[in-house]
């Protein structure tokens, strides 16, 4: 009995990070961490001048691939808005890259309306031919989702990956994994902004 409790304590300690939060790791894409982020390719920028990864060197960049009519993307939208608002003045650049999965999703006006509805006040681009989402994510291995997220450091290297689905803050046990991912992302943003 005693060794069972000791083992449980060791497991709990091994799975925790400062603050008592459970450690979070992506289910897919861990192998991309530390690699240079690919350059954007064939994007149509909808609300700003065209951006490149090269131009963004020196900034911390959070990229979310999303598409209209995606409930998981909608669930993640408040987190993106919070992070943009909280850390934008400190050097975080949030970018939403829309990859269409419907005929309507190819229409720039439709995407702009959806981005406004979601409250996105950060740069939005369309990846109509999916070349950028393929370079970042789909061509790098077997993937369960297309709407992945990437945090890129000031040197242009990927430092955090979310394999898709949703992430956001939550007190609900049903969304514990969403909350853990959000907390891990925020901790990584803070660390990269301090460097």
């Amino acid at each position: 009995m005693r060794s069972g409790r000791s083992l449980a304590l060791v497991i709990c300690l091994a799975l925790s990070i400062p603050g008592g939060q459970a450690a979070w790791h992506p289910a897919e894409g861990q192998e991309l961490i530390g690699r240079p982020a690919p350059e954007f390719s064939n994007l149509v920028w909808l609300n700003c001048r065209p951006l490149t990864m090269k131009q963004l060197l020196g900034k911390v960049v959070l990229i979310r691939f999303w598409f209209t009519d995606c409930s998981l993307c909608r669930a993640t939208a408040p987190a993106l808005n919070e992070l943009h608002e909280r850390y934008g003045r400190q050097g975080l650049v949030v970018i939403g890259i829309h990859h269409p999965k419907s005929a309507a999703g190819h229409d720039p006006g439709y995407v702009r309306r959806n981005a406004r509805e979601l409250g996105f006040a950060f740069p939005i681009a369309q990846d109509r031919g999916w070349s950028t989402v393929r370079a970042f994510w789909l061509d790098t291995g077997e993937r369960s989702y297309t709407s992945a997220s990437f945090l890129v450091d000031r040197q242009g290297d990927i430092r955090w990956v979310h394999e898709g689905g949703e992430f956001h803050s939550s007190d609900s046990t049903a969304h514990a994994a969403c909350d853990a991912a959000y907390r891990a992302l925020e901790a990584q943003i803070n660390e990269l902004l301090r460097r």
Side-chain angles (χ1 to χ4, degrees):
M1 182 73 133
R2 187 176 201 168
S3 63
R5 270 193 237 144
S6 297
L7 180 59
L9 178 60
V10 168
I11 291 170
C12 286
L13 290 173
L15 292 176
S16 46
I17 57 175
Q21 298 285 330
W24 180 87
H25 300 284
E28 299 170 8
Q30 183 82 29
E31 74 282 359
L32 300 175
I33 295 173
R35 291 186 186 176
E39 186 53 80
F40 299 143
S41 175
N42 300 317
L43 296 182
V44 176
W45 293 89
L46 301 180
N47 61 350
C48 66
R49 62 178 173 72
L51 298 172
T52 66
M53 288 305 300
K54 186 175 181 181
Q55 290 170 326
L56 292 166
L57 289 175
K59 302 279 188 184
V60 177
V61 182
L62 174 60
I63 300 163
R64 169 68 177 196
F65 290 96
W66 68 287
F67 63 95
T68 53
D69 309 319
C70 167
S71 62
L72 302 172
C73 299
R74 288 188 176 281
T76 300
L80 300 176
N81 293 330
E82 288 166 17
L83 294 169
H84 169 69
E85 207 168 290
R86 190 174 302 140
Y87 298 105
R89 289 190 188 101
Q90 297 175 44
L92 176 69
V93 177
V94 178
I95 298 174
I97 301 179
H98 181 269
H99 56 292
K101 289 191 174 185
S102 67
H106 284 83
D107 174 19
Y110 181 74
V111 176
R112 279 190 195 96
R113 283 191 301 277
N114 274 268
R116 272 195 307 271
E117 183 183 303
L118 294 171
F120 291 167
F122 45 80
I124 300 295
Q126 273 187 299
D127 187 10
R128 292 180 184 162
W130 287 37
S131 56
T132 298
V133 72
R134 286 188 193 287
F136 267 83
W137 187 238
L138 297 176
D139 289 346
T140 62
E142 278 298 311
R143 304 302 181 201
S144 300
Y145 296 96
T146 59
S147 296
S149 301
F150 300 85
L151 185 65
V152 179
D153 68 16
R154 297 179 192 276
Q155 291 73 44
D157 295 326
I158 296 169
R159 292 296 170 204
W160 183 89
V161 173
H162 189 270
E163 70 278 2
E166 61 186 274
F167 63 84
H168 49 78
S169 62
S170 178
D171 293 331
S172 167
T173 55
H175 289 277
C178 301
D179 185 69
Y182 179 79
R183 301 293 168 212
L185 171 58
E186 189 169 32
Q188 189 68 49
I189 288 169
N190 274 299
E191 182 181 327
L192 295 179
L193 287 174
R194 283 194 299 270
R195 291 184 189 175

